[in-house]
Amino acid sequence: MLLARRHLRTEHRRRQAAAVAAGNHAHDDGHAGRVTDALWVTQALAALPERHREVVILRYWGELTSREVARALGLRPGTVRYLLLQARRMVRDRIGESG
């Protein structure tokens, strides 16, 4: 859990830097698109419940296996897989709502 929280703090700092960069580099369409995507992903993650967010970050950004995530968070691997499934559904539903 500590690793997930550390990653969230790092991600927050990156998000802030991306927002500043977006203001300073608005003329760069490729950069602006990446910043927009990064901000959208950050918002989608922020909307997830804490446990789901921790699992997603460790699994996909931390590139840990489900077993490694389970060990890090004190969960069973099946629980991790279920939380990932729920998180993907929540994000998919959010995409549907936002267009």
Side-chain angles (χ1 to χ4, degrees):
M1 191 154 57
L2 179 63
L3 178 62
R5 287 191 178 129
R6 184 180 308 143
H7 186 77
L8 287 172
R9 285 192 300 271
T10 301
E11 220 27 62
H12 176 72
R13 287 191 295 274
R14 284 184 191 154
R15 184 176 65 234
Q16 288 176 328
V20 170
N24 293 336
H25 299 92
H27 64 281
D28 181 0
D29 292 334
H31 178 73
R34 285 189 304 275
V35 169
T36 300
D37 289 347
L39 291 173
W40 185 90
V41 168
T42 301
Q43 289 172 349
L45 283 172
L48 293 174
E50 182 178 359
R51 180 59 76 183
H52 290 77
R53 189 170 46 248
E54 290 173 337
V55 168
V56 167
I57 289 171
L58 289 174
R59 177 67 182 96
Y60 296 114
W61 276 270
E63 298 181 357
L64 300 178
T65 66
S66 293
R67 277 192 192 285
E68 292 168 331
V69 173
R71 197 173 310 121
L73 298 178
L75 301 171
R76 293 180 179 194
T79 302
V80 169
R81 289 188 296 272
Y82 183 69
L83 290 170
L84 287 169
L85 175 67
Q86 286 182 320
R88 286 192 300 264
R89 285 180 179 160
M90 287 180 220
V91 170
R92 187 176 56 237
D93 290 347
R94 185 173 171 86
I95 291 170
E97 290 172 6
S98 64

